[in-house]
Amino acid sequence: MSTLRMTGLDGEPVRVTQQALAALAKKMEAPLLRPGDAGYIEATTIWNGMVRRRPALVVQPVSGAEVAEAVRFAHAHGLLLSIKGGGHNVGGTALADGGLTVDMSRLRWVEVDPVRRLAHVGPGCLLGDVDRATQPHGLATVLGMISLTGVAGLTLGGGFGNLSRRFGWTVDNLEEVEIVTADGRLGRAAADEREDLFWALRGGGGNFGAVTRFSFRLHDIGSLMTGGMIAWDAEDFDAVATLYRDLCATAPRELSLHLIMQLAPATALIPDVWRNRPIVAVVACHTGSESAAAKDLAPLRALGTPIVDTITRKPYVEQQRTFDAGQPDGLHQYWKSEFLPGLPDGLFDMFRKHAAEITAPMCQLWLAQLGGAAADLGNESTPFGNRDAEYICLIASGSPPDAPDGPRRREWARTAWEAIKPYSTGGNYINVQTTDDDDLRIRQAYGANLDRLARVKSAYDPDNLFRVNRNIRPAAVVSAP
């Protein structure tokens, strides 16, 4: 009988019989996909085109029970296993090279309970799916700032966005999950059931199982907010940065501000004469009243002579799409991050210096304001910690696959990151780690919480079946509760 050659957990080849594959196929509504099959390329295409991995087999479950079957199959055969939600992770952890990839794209559904203010979300959803479902009720939960990002990956890594200062991190708003653990069992995890597992899932990444449902707390924010972007000539950086720092120091929780340095992109919002020229921009999101927003944003709008000012009253879902156009699929993405305790003058000096070396619009230096509700809980309340940080710095480098200067852009990102590291709290954001980040970066992301995560890993995944991720290895082999 012919067999399918696949990659095992230890990297060695595993032969899976056609009989075993046929038995798995009978338990799945959708066909199993192999290289060359219709639908395989779509199922294995991810956001970061720099990561190229080729699973030997892809399954596309339509229920939690089918996810459980796939996990049991991988465990029984010792196969390298990955879980693909939205496929938007910078590190490309959605794909198991030569192994089995569970593609959650058919589990793309949202159920809103406006009375209990809950959203039940399938693991194949993108952020925009949730916003579009909740906003007709004037409700929202804390998600990221690019609507094309997958809910699953964002949440399991912590998650922050425009509402974080008002309502905390994404995981602070996670009420419960349905999850398949490494033993193939489908069950619930929440504050009142398997609380150790629930704690680990709120920032510990995909290390503890395959989540088949997320249930989020919703907040009444209405359907309209005040937001947009103001951009100035990069020569005005000193004045813009100083005002940004001052506004952040007194900003209400309803206001979130981001400072970005880049070359002006080719967009209808930017006058043609400014395209590919250095700019400094502030993106604002104010979910308070219209009058409060006008007052709080007035100093920003009065500064100098901006190139463009798009701040207006708009639907929240529109604000959530602000950065979508600059994040198309298939680019070679290389990002770094550091959490920051503040914005000293020396940091601004580094920003100015390295922004001057940007040669393409898809390279950015980005400051996102934190604080507020994101800092209300202690660092031990969820795995990722870093709640003492007032800002997160993101250094992004994107380039078309055929760009001859791609390596130079990535080197720019690394150089800028090294220069900014001295101003860090020492922590970094696990969702922005890349394939060249080592175990030290994982420890820096989790800090003192890493040892507890390793103990939970031992309890629920002692064989490290879920390892195609920013991996947390089991501390010891113990029995799962």
Side-chain angles (χ1 to χ4, degrees):
M1 180 179 293
S2 61
T3 60
L4 176 65
R5 188 176 188 270
M6 301 184 69
T7 301
L9 283 174
D10 58 1
E12 295 299 316
V14 173
R15 299 284 182 177
V16 180
T17 68
Q18 293 299 324
Q19 183 179 14
L21 294 170
L24 177 62
K26 286 183 179 180
K27 299 173 182 177
M28 298 287 164
E29 180 175 308
L32 310 185
L33 300 178
R34 307 186 202 182
D37 289 344
Y40 176 87
I41 292 178
E42 181 181 6
T44 58
T45 297
I46 58 176
W47 172 70
N48 190 354
M50 192 165 69
V51 179
R52 298 181 180 181
R53 294 173 183 151
R54 189 177 171 89
L57 188 67
V58 177
V59 298
Q60 298 178 310
V62 299
S63 67
E66 288 192 1
V67 175
E69 290 289 354
V71 171
R72 285 194 287 268
F73 184 84
H75 189 271
H77 293 275
L79 299 177
L80 190 67
L81 172 69
S82 70
I83 309 298
K84 181 192 175 197
H88 205 272
N89 183 265
V90 176
T93 56
L95 303 178
D97 200 18
L100 171 63
T101 289
V102 179
D103 171 22
M104 299 288 202
S105 60
R106 293 177 184 263
L107 288 169
R108 189 172 176 178
W109 49 265
V110 181
E111 296 175 358
V112 179
D113 184 340
V115 176
R116 297 178 61 205
R117 293 192 177 181
L118 290 174
H120 306 292
V121 180
C125 283
L126 307 183
L127 307 192
D129 297 329
V130 182
D131 289 332
R132 285 190 295 271
T134 60
Q135 273 292 280
H137 306 281
L139 302 173
T141 193
V142 180
L143 296 172
M145 294 173 289
I146 299 171
S147 74
L148 305 175
T149 302
V151 171
L154 175 95
T155 302
L156 294 174
F160 76 95
N162 285 317
L163 298 179
S164 288
R165 285 180 39 75
R166 190 171 175 184
F167 302 117
W169 290 71
T170 301
V171 291
D172 298 339
N173 296 273
L174 186 62
E175 291 288 307
E176 66 174 38
V177 301
E178 181 184 80
I179 182 172
V180 177
T181 45
D183 57 7
R185 289 192 294 174
L186 177 65
R188 174 178 176 270
D192 62 351
E193 183 175 350
R194 294 194 289 182
E195 57 270 26
D196 57 339
L197 177 59
F198 187 58
W199 176 85
L201 290 168
R202 287 178 291 160
N207 279 280
F208 305 95
V211 176
T212 55
R213 172 178 53 80
F214 298 86
S215 294
F216 295 102
R217 187 183 320 122
L218 297 174
H219 304 277
D220 186 358
I221 67 164
S223 296
L224 294 176
M225 45 71 64
T226 302
M229 177 189 72
I230 306 180
W232 298 263
D233 187 331
E235 293 293 327
D236 295 326
F237 172 76
D238 289 348
V240 174
T242 298
L243 179 59
Y244 175 79
R245 180 169 56 194
D246 292 345
L247 289 178
C248 287
T250 59
R253 292 188 173 200
E254 292 83 2
L255 175 59
S256 182
L257 296 166
H258 313 286
L259 185 146
I260 304 169
M261 297 198 75
Q262 65 175 105
L263 300 186
T267 169
L269 297 177
I270 304 289
D272 289 348
V273 68
W274 277 98
R275 292 180 183 177
N276 287 314
R277 291 173 61 183
I279 62 171
V280 55
V282 173
V283 177
C285 177
H286 199 304
T287 56
S289 68
E290 186 171 4
S291 59
K295 176 179 177 292
D296 293 334
L297 294 171
L300 193 65
R301 307 191 76 176
L303 179 65
T305 305
I307 300 165
V308 63
D309 179 349
T310 69
I311 292 180
T312 187
R313 199 75 174 161
K314 65 173 69 172
Y316 177 70
V317 291
E318 184 179 326
Q319 177 75 12
Q320 287 289 86
R321 294 194 293 263
T322 298
F323 299 108
D324 285 6
Q327 301 294 330
D329 288 345
L331 295 181
H332 285 196
Q333 299 282 1
Y334 186 82
W335 292 38
K336 292 295 180 185
S337 74
E338 292 292 330
F339 285 106
L340 306 173
L343 302 177
D345 291 341
L347 175 73
F348 284 154
D349 291 341
M350 289 298 99
F351 257 62
R352 187 188 308 103
K353 177 181 184 298
H354 291 283
E357 298 170 357
I358 292 176
T359 59
M362 287 173 284
C363 295
Q364 299 175 328
L365 290 169
W366 190 343
L367 288 174
Q369 182 189 13
L370 298 174
D376 281 349
L377 301 178
N379 278 339
E380 73 289 345
S381 60
T382 54
F384 64 88
N386 295 297
R387 292 175 182 271
D388 53 340
E390 291 292 328
Y391 303 87
I392 182 172
C393 174
L394 301 173
I395 301 120
S397 164
S399 58
D402 57 351
D405 66 338
R408 197 212 66 79
R409 296 189 200 186
R410 292 189 286 276
E411 184 57 31
W412 166 83
R414 286 194 62 86
T415 301
W417 167 57
E418 291 287 352
I420 290 165
K421 279 170 66 177
Y423 300 95
S424 170
T425 62
N428 67 87
Y429 186 32
I430 197 74
N431 277 345
V432 182
Q433 289 193 7
T434 51
T435 54
D436 62 348
D437 282 319
D438 56 17
D439 288 348
L440 176 60
R441 289 287 282 171
I442 295 176
R443 178 162 288 280
Q444 289 170 336
Y446 292 120
N449 290 327
L450 182 60
D451 293 336
R452 180 179 174 186
L453 283 167
R455 293 194 296 271
V456 179
K457 177 79 168 180
S458 295
Y460 290 94
D461 186 14
D463 298 323
N464 201 12
L465 178 66
F466 295 98
R467 65 177 64 186
V468 182
N469 44 43
R470 300 308 300 161
N471 194 231
I472 298 166
R473 288 183 290 275
V477 177
V478 296
S479 297

